[in-house]
Amino acid sequence: MTINDLNLTWAWSPVALGGIILLCALYVLGIWRGRRRNSQDMPLKAYQVAAFAVAILAMAFVLLTPVDSIARTQLFSVHMAQIVTLTTLCAPLLWIASPSWLLQPLLARTGIRRISQALTHPLVASLAFNLTFLIWHAPTLYHLALNHESLYHLEMLSLLFVALLNWWPLLGSLHELRRLSYPMQMLYVFLDGQPIDVFAFLLVFSGAVFYPWYAVPPQLHISAFNDQAVGGALLLLPGLVDLLVMSPLFFRWLAQVEERNRANDQRLHELAEAEEAARHNTPVS
């Protein structure tokens, strides 16, 4: 079936399907085990369930429908839309869907706790995401992934995994693994996206086609480079999301500073009152 010669073949990759099923199974198992321990102390809010459902549906849409076939064979821009969906929509929604009690058992084992602490360190998380993205998009490796469906979906799932690490310093629910102050969070958001933003600008402004293996349907009336430029423009969207994330962080930081100043003023006022009271109560010799 084709529309304007687009490849509308449904993708049923066992790697992508298995990854989605495993994610659902782990989430349901974690909720069941948590509720079994103490259901009253393990509240699961409606928005958390909704966030998980939206994340899973978005994953299924970009990995198990003709969107995936188009992304692997015809339009690089659709490939970038896949990545933006997984890393900028699905990853943060999965953390929003995960309350602290769901993740807390992971820290019960010393080995897992140490690995988690290492992987969620802001520098490690940022490097892991940026390097994973850039390595997968090295032309030789990317061409290999395009020719092997399972490898391509392994690429997608690995990008989702490192995106989860990348979002942890901002959205992680376990405070033992998330200790950045608001100014450091803003610095993290600003610096984290720079390497991929540079790559996106190269896609848009280089004038060269990096991945010449796509069969862009002539009925779409776009060149291979224009398709690549659209992909680069889509890759800049996470930068706009970063700006949206920085705004509430900035105002939270201002509120925190104001609260500290108010507490200091209150403490100084109480000290002054105590000194004044002590002065009046001191007997005259």
Side-chain angles (χ1 to χ4, degrees):
M1 180 179 178
T2 63
I3 299 177
N4 289 331
D5 281 345
L6 289 176
N7 182 1
L8 298 184
T9 304
W10 282 76
W12 294 105
S13 164
V15 174
L17 185 60
I20 292 173
I21 292 174
L22 178 61
L23 194 57
C24 292
L26 290 175
Y27 191 70
V28 172
L29 179 62
I31 293 172
W32 177 76
R33 293 185 64 179
R35 291 296 185 87
R36 189 178 180 185
R37 288 194 302 271
N38 191 338
S39 59
Q40 293 182 348
D41 293 336
M42 307 296 178
L44 190 65
K45 299 179 180 178
Y47 77 85
Q48 292 172 322
V49 177
F52 184 80
V54 171
I56 292 299
L57 290 174
M59 288 178 63
F61 177 72
V62 298
L63 296 179
L64 300 177
T65 68
V67 169
D68 183 73
S69 301
I70 296 170
R72 287 185 292 106
T73 61
Q74 295 182 309
L75 294 175
F76 177 78
S77 56
V78 178
H79 164 71
M80 281 302 168
Q82 279 183 306
I83 290 180
V84 170
T85 300
L86 292 174
T87 61
T88 310
L89 176 66
C90 296
L93 284 178
L94 289 173
W95 284 140
I96 291 171
S98 303
S100 58
W101 57 263
L102 185 67
L103 304 174
Q104 192 66 46
L106 296 176
L107 300 184
R109 298 178 181 273
T110 303
I112 296 179
R113 182 172 65 251
R114 289 177 178 174
I115 293 173
S116 299
Q117 289 172 338
L119 291 178
T120 55
H121 187 281
L123 180 59
V124 174
S126 181
L127 286 175
F129 177 73
N130 284 284
L131 288 177
T132 301
F133 179 92
L134 294 175
I135 289 172
W136 273 116
H137 288 88
T140 302
L141 183 56
Y142 186 63
H143 188 205
L144 185 65
L146 290 178
N147 290 328
H148 295 84
E149 182 180 358
S150 295
L151 184 61
Y152 181 85
H153 289 116
L154 180 62
E155 172 190 349
M156 294 291 103
L157 293 179
S158 66
L159 287 172
L160 175 64
F161 174 72
V162 292
L164 288 169
L165 298 180
N166 199 41
W167 278 97
W168 180 267
L170 302 175
L171 295 176
S173 57
L174 294 177
H175 293 289
E176 300 94 324
L177 302 179
R178 184 169 66 88
R179 297 180 177 178
L180 284 183
S181 63
Y182 287 130
M184 291 304 296
Q185 286 183 353
M186 288 187 287
L187 182 63
Y188 174 80
V189 170
F190 176 74
L191 295 177
D192 177 61
Q194 297 303 310
I196 292 181
D197 285 345
V198 171
F199 177 72
F201 278 112
L202 290 175
L203 291 175
V204 175
F205 297 111
S206 66
V209 177
F210 293 177
Y211 310 107
W213 309 292
Y214 280 92
V216 180
Q219 287 81 358
L220 296 180
H221 303 293
I222 60 173
S223 66
F225 177 74
N226 288 338
D227 172 48
Q228 175 182 291
V230 172
L234 289 173
L235 194 56
L236 290 171
L237 289 178
L240 299 178
V241 174
D242 290 343
L243 292 177
L244 294 176
V245 170
M246 288 178 67
S247 298
L249 289 176
F250 177 73
F251 288 112
R252 288 178 188 175
W253 176 49
L254 287 182
Q256 187 181 68
V257 171
E258 184 178 354
E259 181 64 27
R260 288 177 180 174
N261 290 337
R262 188 182 299 112
N264 288 334
D265 292 342
Q266 179 66 24
R267 188 160 46 250
L268 291 174
H269 180 70
E270 291 174 353
L271 287 174
E273 287 184 341
E275 290 178 358
E276 184 69 19
R279 190 179 301 116
H280 286 297
N281 292 331
T282 301
V284 179
S285 57

